[in-house]
Amino acid sequence: GVSIIRYRDVAGAKQYLDEALSILRPSGRTKWLAVALLYAGMSRLRGEDLQAAQALLEEALALLKALGDVGMDGFCETELAVVAFLAGQMAEAISRARRAVEMSRRHDALTAEFFALHSLAGCLILDNQIEPGRAAALEAFELSRALGNMGLPGPNYQLALVLAVHGETDTAARLAG
């Protein structure tokens, strides 16, 4: 899964995932199909095809819910938050990111919770909701440390931005550096 997320050749990833979908769809509504839909949606998002990304991610989320599989629904909501953000729908992005945090916490999915918090922090800070954004970024930072520094330096940059907004530019520069 992680290798697909970090796939640098977006076109190659899309082709690979489309092939996986064509193989998995005839097999019925399975978790593997949901996973392929999630990653296919992520590949479309990286390729900046927001409409296709949203359709695939919503299909993945609906399938996961139908299967009663709650392990990956937080990831779907986080990616849908990113789609909304890139489409300029900030209120929707924040709402989806908050939902992703709640879903991940409910199922003790720490990696999903980290990505949800990181997305929520970014949306809040860019929406000028600085204090809630700082709180989410700090939670993401602490969770990252608990997970072996996963996802750093993202939360560091968010916290540095908050410090800069408050005029603490020296400390912000040190944190970002």
Side-chain angles (χ1 to χ4, degrees):
V2 172
S3 61
I4 294 171
I5 293 171
R6 294 182 180 173
Y7 209 111
R8 298 201 186 278
D9 177 6
V10 174
K14 177 183 173 295
Q15 182 179 354
Y16 171 79
L17 289 161
D18 285 349
E19 184 180 339
L21 287 174
S22 70
I23 293 167
L24 290 166
R25 279 192 190 280
S27 302
R29 294 165 57 81
T30 65
K31 180 177 179 176
W32 287 111
L33 175 58
V35 170
L37 288 164
L38 169 60
Y39 288 130
M42 291 168 70
S43 75
R44 296 314 194 283
L45 182 55
R46 278 25 170 212
E48 299 181 8
D49 185 348
L50 298 186
Q51 191 171 6
Q54 182 169 353
L56 287 160
L57 292 165
E58 285 179 348
E59 186 180 355
L61 183 59
L63 178 52
L64 287 166
K65 286 182 178 178
L67 293 170
D69 191 311
V70 294
M72 299 189 73
D73 55 1
F75 284 114
C76 287
E77 280 291 354
T78 297
E79 293 296 312
L80 284 163
V82 175
V83 170
F85 170 77
L86 293 174
Q89 301 166 342
M90 190 63 86
E92 174 73 9
I94 291 169
S95 174
R96 282 198 175 271
R98 281 196 172 116
R99 193 173 315 131
V101 171
E102 291 166 11
M103 293 163 100
S104 302
R105 284 183 176 157
R106 192 177 318 130
H107 308 300
D108 202 29
L110 297 181
T111 301
E113 183 182 348
F114 165 76
F115 286 111
L117 282 165
H118 182 48
S119 293
L120 177 60
C123 289
L124 288 168
I125 292 166
L126 292 172
D127 195 46
N128 205 32
Q129 297 185 48
I130 303 302
E131 284 311 308
R134 182 199 62 77
L138 188 56
E139 285 185 77
F141 174 79
E142 290 171 349
L143 192 51
S144 169
R145 296 298 300 273
L147 293 168
N149 293 331
M150 182 192 71
L152 287 180
N156 290 33
Y157 294 146
Q158 290 172 333
L159 291 167
L161 182 56
V162 170
L163 288 168
V165 167
H166 287 301
E168 299 178 43
T169 54
D170 289 346
T171 307
R174 281 197 301 276
L175 183 60

